[in-house]
């Protein structure tokens, strides 16, 4: 049976790959983002419905609800990114505070607000998946702190949603090629270093992350919740 799926930040990169997977399975997919142009292009290509939304803005989320189906089976909180790439070095304490909060808003608060806004629409037995980062386990800076906070917040969210059979997990990618994450600032040398950190000797792809998200949203994963699944080719290893 087709499901209703919302993928935030679904216009490019990882979010687009996730949306493509669900659309190809015959699900009804809504993708959101702040840039109307890339969002529409992706929606047209995927057969998804685009809705412009800033997920850090409660009013925008309230408006988003009017554009969504009455029930949502799968919520993927993918919107975010390292906002430090969009700002210069902090010149004083006020600028540092602003930059730090920007990362928290983009990567932690946005997911919390979106999940809260959709809480009553999430179907029993559904799935919530947040896109975290390897940075949540080993830094750096405010971005790493935000992704670590996302993983910790998800632990209590699992208790809140579990009574309704809804699972909630974090997928934490390492270096994923073919995304806008580094804003075209990644040097060849740094890319080689990131690949060398992996055990498999290659960069990850958006499809690697999409496949993991798809599994967590599938019937096979109904007893997995409150977890962080690392998708990094072995660059960060757990036991």
């Amino acid at each position: 049976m087709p499901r209703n799926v919302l993928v935030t930040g679904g216009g490019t990169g990882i979010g687009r790959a996730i949306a493509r997977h669900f659309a190809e399975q015959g699900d009804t997919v809504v993708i959101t983002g702040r840039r109307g142009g890339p969002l529409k292009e992706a929606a047209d290509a995927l057969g998804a419905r685009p809705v412009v939304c800033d997920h850090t803005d409660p009013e925008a989320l309230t408006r988003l609800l009017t554009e969504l189906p009455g029930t949502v089976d799968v919520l993927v909180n993918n919107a975010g990114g390292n906002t430090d790439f969009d700002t210069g070095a902090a010149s004083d304490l006020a600028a540092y505070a602003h930059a730090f909060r920007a990362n928290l808003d983009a990567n932690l608060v946005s997911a919390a607000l979106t999940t809260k806004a959709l809480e009553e629409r999430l179907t029993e037995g559904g799935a919530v998946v947040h896109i975290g980062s390897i940075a949540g386990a080993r830094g750096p800076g405010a971005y790493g702190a935000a992704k670590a906070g996302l993983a910790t917040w998800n632990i209590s969210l699992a208790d809140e949603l579990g009574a309704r059979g809804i699972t909630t997990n974090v997928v934490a990618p390492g270096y994923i090629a073919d995304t806008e994450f580094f804003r075209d600032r990644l040097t060849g040398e740094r890319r080689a270093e990131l690949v060398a950190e992996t055990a498999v000797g290659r960069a990850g792809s958006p499809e690697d992350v999409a496949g993991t998200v798809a599994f967590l949203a599938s019937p096979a994963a109904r007893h997995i919740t409150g977890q962080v699944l690392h998708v990094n080719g072995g660059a960060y290893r757990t036991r």
Side-chain angles (χ1 to χ4, degrees), residues 149-206:
L150 179 66
T152 301
W153 167 70
N154 183 65
I155 295 171
S156 62
L157 183 65
D159 286 333
E160 295 173 17
L161 299 181
R164 296 163 54 197
I166 300 170
T167 60
T168 176
N169 295 285
V170 177
V171 174
Y175 169 49
I176 305 297
D178 301 322
T179 75
E180 297 180 342
F181 181 83
F182 289 101
R183 316 293 199 274
D184 294 326
R185 299 180 191 177
L186 187 67
T187 65
E189 180 180 7
R190 179 55 179 155
R191 181 187 185 282
E193 290 174 352
L194 292 171
V195 170
E197 289 180 350
T198 71
V200 298
R202 71 168 177 87
S205 71

Side-chain angles (χ1 to χ4, degrees), residues 119-130:
E119 184 176 26
E120 298 304 317
R121 296 202 187 186
L122 296 174
T123 58
E124 292 195 9
V128 178
V129 183
H130 317 286

Side-chain angles (χ1 to χ4, degrees), residues 2-23:
R3 297 177 293 179
N4 294 325
V5 180
L6 171 61
V7 181
T8 74
T12 62
I14 290 172
R16 179 168 175 154
I18 293 169
R20 179 187 303 113
H21 170 86
F22 286 113

Side-chain angles (χ1 to χ4, degrees), residues 9-238:
T12 62
I14 290 172
R16 179 168 175 154
I18 293 169
R20 179 187 303 113
H21 170 86
F22 286 113
E24 289 178 347
Q25 299 304 305
D27 294 322
T28 300
V29 181
V30 176
I31 58 174
T32 63
R34 290 188 290 183
R35 297 177 296 162
L39 194 64
K40 184 179 184 305
E41 188 278 326
D44 290 345
L46 302 177
R49 182 181 178 190
V51 181
V52 174
C53 182
D54 178 352
H55 287 264
T56 68
D57 182 354
E59 292 184 1
L61 284 166
T62 299
R63 291 192 297 270
L64 173 64
L65 292 176
T66 67
E67 302 289 338
L68 296 178
T71 59
V72 174
D73 301 291
V74 181
L75 166 61
V76 182
N77 285 313
N78 169 73
N82 192 338
T83 57
D84 287 345
F85 288 124
D86 301 319
T87 61
S91 57
D92 55 28
L93 191 58
Y96 178 80
H98 177 78
F100 204 103
R101 287 173 179 143
N103 261 309
L104 293 177
D105 281 346
N107 297 287
L108 173 55
V109 176
S110 65
L113 289 177
T114 303
T115 306
K116 186 64 176 178
L118 269 68
E119 184 176 26
E120 298 304 317
R121 296 202 187 186
L122 296 174
T123 58
E124 292 195 9
V128 178
V129 183
H130 317 286
I131 303 303
S133 172
I134 192 174
R138 64 181 196 184
Y143 175 69
K147 292 301 191 183
L150 179 66
T152 301
W153 167 70
N154 183 65
I155 295 171
S156 62
L157 183 65
D159 286 333
E160 295 173 17
L161 299 181
R164 296 163 54 197
I166 300 170
T167 60
T168 176
N169 295 285
V170 177
V171 174
Y175 169 49
I176 305 297
D178 301 322
T179 75
E180 297 180 342
F181 181 83
F182 289 101
R183 316 293 199 274
D184 294 326
R185 299 180 191 177
L186 187 67
T187 65
E189 180 180 7
R190 179 55 179 155
R191 181 187 185 282
E193 290 174 352
L194 292 171
V195 170
E197 289 180 350
T198 71
V200 298
R202 71 168 177 87
S205 71
E207 288 71 27
D208 289 323
V209 182
T212 306
V213 172
F215 164 67
L216 289 173
S218 75
R222 294 304 83 214
H223 206 53
I224 300 174
T225 195
Q227 306 299 316
V228 177
L229 271 67
H230 292 277
V231 182
N232 55 51
Y236 174 75
R237 307 176 195 193
T238 62

